[in-house]
Amino acid sequence: MKKTLMTGAATVALCAAGAQAQDLTIAGPWIGADQEMVEEVLAVFEEQSGLDVAYVGSDSFEQQIVIDAEAGSAPNIAVFPQPGLAAEMAGRGFLTPLGEDVADWVRENYAAGQSWVDLGTYTGPDGEDALYGFFYKVDLKSLVWYVPENFEDAGYEVPETMEELKALTEQIVADGEVPWCIGLGSGAATGWPATDWVEDLMLRTQPPEVYDGWVTNEVKFDDPRVVEAIEEFGWFARNDAFVSGGAGSVASTDFRDSPKGLFTSPPQCYLHRMASFIPSFFPEGTEVGEDADFFYFPSYESKDLGSPVLGAGTLWAITNDTPAAHEFIKFLETPVAHEAWMSQKGFLTPHKGVDTSKFGDPATAAMNDILLNATTFRFDASDLMPGGVGAGSFWTGMVDYTGGESAEDVAATIQDSWDSLK
């Protein structure tokens, strides 16, 4: 590869001399093993285009990209882990619109395509909305984990609707067992796993436009529809019979320890709702697909809201406009750009045209099927809310709720915190 690679402190310089030697410069959040994997993708682009590419990985990307943009030394393309910063930079004139042709391509070729267009569309300095972000590499949160052997021994079947999931929860209790392991502990970030629950349940009890209004506070946090979603979470988490250790243990159990009850003998629980990364905290040697498996956190059959999926992901945006930058965005539209990372690990894509046999393992392919079957995709709401709420009062409010405060009081307190930021 002809690529120039830089990490850590070197990110302060896609320095002028180094950048001039490259046809395309890219900055992003990936370092270490993730950087090595994105390098494989960029190598394919280099081979196809004949261009030289320089990639900079940084664990302080969000701060550095703003500094570089303000100094007029931004890379051609930046990879944003969250839409919020990209939207802010678009409003300041630091991003280049990708064009309506790209928006049309996403609508046509991504599962739940309009959702992805909406997530990448921001208001520019001229007050006009345009597509600025191209989503590539997605994370999936709408998953429930279980041990197939435990299900087989007990005669349980994987539920396909929320009604069936609730019935299974009650059946496990009737059989004298405990259905769920839930843990909200995460040091200073304690409470965040509950926000994922509430977000998923918002998408299963309300249309997506209500979710969108909630993210921007057009729908207030103490709106009855939001309170309903919190109470839906409470149906699972505030019943002593439903949770390993009882409801009082939910807030004090570390999320990294919470799935361990699936693997004890006899099992301390049968179900665990958590994002696609949680196998990192399974017992050593656990093989996903055999020792542990997952299913889609289902929607209500009675509510006719389709198959919504909650997740996160990275978006690629042009921060220094050149023809090579637009050529690279076009490359991201091709199946090979996705398959180059699919064949490694840790990559999901909503691209409907990829060859799913290229996934590095069957479990990841099965997760991707959930993404491809989504009728709606929404980004993690707490990541889109102001930090004082999404990474503050929402977290603490969920801890208070599992501790016994009413959903109405918790929601009102969170809304007060939002109002104080205005």
Side-chain angles (χ1 to χ4, degrees), residues 181-185 193-194 249-256 258 272 274:
C181 281
I182 304 175
L184 308 187
S249 71
V250 169
S252 60
T253 300
D254 193 284
F255 85 92
R256 288 156 286 215
S258 58
H272 183 70
M274 185 52 76

Side-chain angles (χ1 to χ4, degrees), residues 147-149 287-293:
V147 172
E149 183 179 356
E287 186 169 343
V288 175
E290 294 189 16
D291 306 315
D293 211 341

Side-chain angles (χ1 to χ4, degrees), residues 232-258:
E232 283 282 294
F233 166 59
W235 189 91
F236 295 95
R238 298 217 317 183
N239 188 321
D240 285 333
F242 286 1
V243 185
S244 179
S249 71
V250 169
S252 60
T253 300
D254 193 284
F255 85 92
R256 288 156 286 215
D257 295 330
S258 58

